[in-house]
Amino acid sequence: VMSLVLFAMSTRSHAFNYRYLLATVLVLPFIFGWLYAVSYRWMRATVGAIAILVALMNIGYAWTLMGVWPTAKFLDSVRLRDLGPAISHLESRQIRHCYASYFDAYRITYMTDERIIAAQPWNERFPHWPLPYRAIVDDSENVAFVLQPDGFRYKAGQFKEALDAMKAGYEDAVCGGYHVYTGFKPAGNLRETRLESGRVTVTAGTGQPPAAALSDGDRLTRWRSSTLQEAGMALEVKLAGLAGVSRVSCYYDGYAHDRPPALTVYAMDDGNWKVMAAAVPRDLDRFEFRNGHPVFGSDGQAIRFAPLLTDRIRIEIAEADPKRAWTVGEIEVYTGSSNLELPR
């Protein structure tokens, strides 16, 4: 009774979530047995008839289900499509790691006996919880995305929209009921290299907390201003030597609501602060490029500009949100390839 009451009161009490009634189902035969034992003789016929009816209904439904399960129509309705063509395409290109949505990620890994390791692009069922194989796929090269056009969760069309929004290059191969995306290239085919955390030191203005957490290599350790945002509030990045800087990335994982409406990035050039990117809106990137492929899961914004040889960068609030403090998880500095010959 308690299970039925709790299920009815739950926000997840839907027809497809009947598994939460498993405790009730397990004790149902014992309930019928108890009712039969304590009932008067004239009631036992009714209890027995109901028990037999429930048993026959279960047998009938089980028989029907076993006949429907192997059919293509049923498999298509639950999006359990044939992964064979997609797996063959991956193996023909010697791809051993890929991303796929929820059910398909587990199926690919299992069906190939881990010859191909698949992971969800993020935890679709329990956001921010750790995932099996995710770190392995993130850190790999020659990675694919295997997605259905009408999957239950992340769909091929959504991924294509994200790629186009980031102006990324890619190849899209249709393999049966799946789209297999490979050959990713960042916008402009840029080659960027992140400076090691040990070469980057971040400091905040007078009266603000120390900002060591912004260059510790951990995006989940945070710096937060001790006052509400104001235009002109800034973080200064000092590099261990000159570098041809072409990008600064700010990560706000878990605190994207605390980012300012607009930032301006300066770089020290011949003793003076030079504007590299002015009043950049706070639009978050749909994903980041890592090891030659998209990686989802971080709330970050990459601010790019023409390469400049410098050892100091200033990230300043151009437009403030006066109702919020400024919270940042990590600041990363990148150098990029360019035809521009930097001074020595």
Side-chain angles (χ1 to χ4, degrees):
V1 174
M2 184 61 71
S3 294
L4 291 173
V5 171
L6 292 175
F7 182 76
M9 295 175 61
S10 171
T11 58
R12 303 189 67 173
S13 56
H14 303 289
F16 50 83
N17 283 329
Y18 52 83
R19 64 185 179 278
Y20 296 111
L21 289 174
L22 183 60
T24 303
V25 173
L26 288 174
V27 301
L28 196 59
F30 300 98
I31 293 175
F32 276 117
W34 175 77
L35 287 174
Y36 186 85
V38 300
S39 297
Y40 293 106
R41 179 174 295 181
W42 64 270
M43 282 288 295
R44 289 183 177 181
T46 303
V47 174
I50 294 174
I52 293 172
L53 178 62
V54 171
L56 290 174
M57 287 175 58
N58 277 280
I59 292 172
Y61 284 129
W63 184 267
T64 303
L65 184 60
M66 286 188 290
V68 170
W69 263 353
T71 64
K73 183 177 180 181
F74 174 79
L75 294 175
D76 189 67
S77 69
V78 294
R79 311 297 193 270
L80 292 177
R81 300 185 172 108
D82 182 12
L83 275 162
I87 291 173
S88 296
H89 182 73
L90 295 175
E91 291 181 331
S92 69
R93 303 192 61 157
Q94 298 183 341
I95 295 175
R96 298 290 177 257
H97 302 89
C98 71
Y99 297 97
S101 188
Y102 197 53
F103 295 113
D104 290 328
Y106 294 102
R107 292 177 64 208
I108 292 170
T109 305
Y110 176 77
M111 291 172 63
T112 62
D113 196 22
E114 296 189 345
R115 294 195 313 277
I116 299 175
I117 300 296
Q120 298 173 57
W122 62 86
N123 196 324
E124 297 174 310
R125 182 164 170 74
F126 299 106
H128 308 300
W129 282 32
L131 277 169
Y133 303 120
R134 169 67 191 275
I136 295 174
V137 179
D138 283 352
D139 294 338
S140 299
E141 299 179 356
N142 194 22
V143 171
F145 277 73
V146 180
L147 299 169
Q148 299 187 50
D150 57 347
F152 285 124
R153 297 180 186 272
Y154 197 48
K155 300 174 176 60
Q158 294 172 295
F159 182 52
K160 184 179 183 301
E161 180 188 0
L163 290 168
D164 293 340
M166 296 287 288
K167 299 180 181 179
Y170 58 92
E171 299 175 17
D172 178 6
V174 179
C175 302
Y178 292 84
H179 287 256
V180 180
Y181 294 91
T182 56
F184 302 106
K185 295 180 180 178
N189 200 22
L190 297 174
R191 296 180 181 178
E192 297 174 322
T193 303
R194 182 175 68 86
L195 295 181
E196 296 177 358
S197 299
R199 296 187 58 192
V200 177
T201 302
V202 184
T203 57
T206 304
Q208 296 294 344
L214 295 181
S215 58
D216 63 356
D218 185 351
R219 296 175 183 176
L220 297 180
T221 57
R222 304 177 183 93
W223 170 86
R224 173 177 287 175
S225 62
S226 58
T227 58
L228 297 176
Q229 296 177 22
E230 297 178 359
M233 183 183 290
L235 294 167
E236 188 170 320
V237 183
K238 297 180 181 179
L239 309 180
L242 294 172
V245 177
S246 62
R247 166 185 158 190
V248 173
S249 288
C250 298
Y251 292 93
Y252 309 95
D253 290 16
Y255 283 81
H257 52 276
D258 276 353
R259 66 192 193 280
L263 293 173
T264 294
V265 177
Y266 300 85
M268 184 62 69
D269 182 26
D270 197 22
N272 298 302
W273 287 114
K274 179 180 179 179
V275 176
M276 306 304 296
V280 180
R282 64 177 193 170
D283 300 331
L284 294 176
D285 297 335
R286 303 290 288 273
F287 55 79
E288 61 179 309
F289 260 94
R290 194 187 307 169
N291 298 320
H293 61 84
V295 173
F296 290 84
S298 281
D299 297 326
Q301 180 181 22
I303 301 176
R304 293 180 171 87
F305 39 84
L308 180 72
L309 196 66
T310 186
D311 61 357
R312 291 173 64 190
I313 300 164
R314 179 181 174 89
I315 303 171
E316 182 178 293
I317 295 180
E319 181 182 346
D321 182 347
K323 296 181 180 180
R324 291 194 174 277
W326 187 13
T327 306
V328 190
E330 190 77 5
I331 292 177
E332 296 179 355
V333 180
Y334 290 76
T335 60
S337 63
S338 171
N339 295 326
L340 176 66
E341 185 173 339
L342 298 173
R344 297 182 181 277

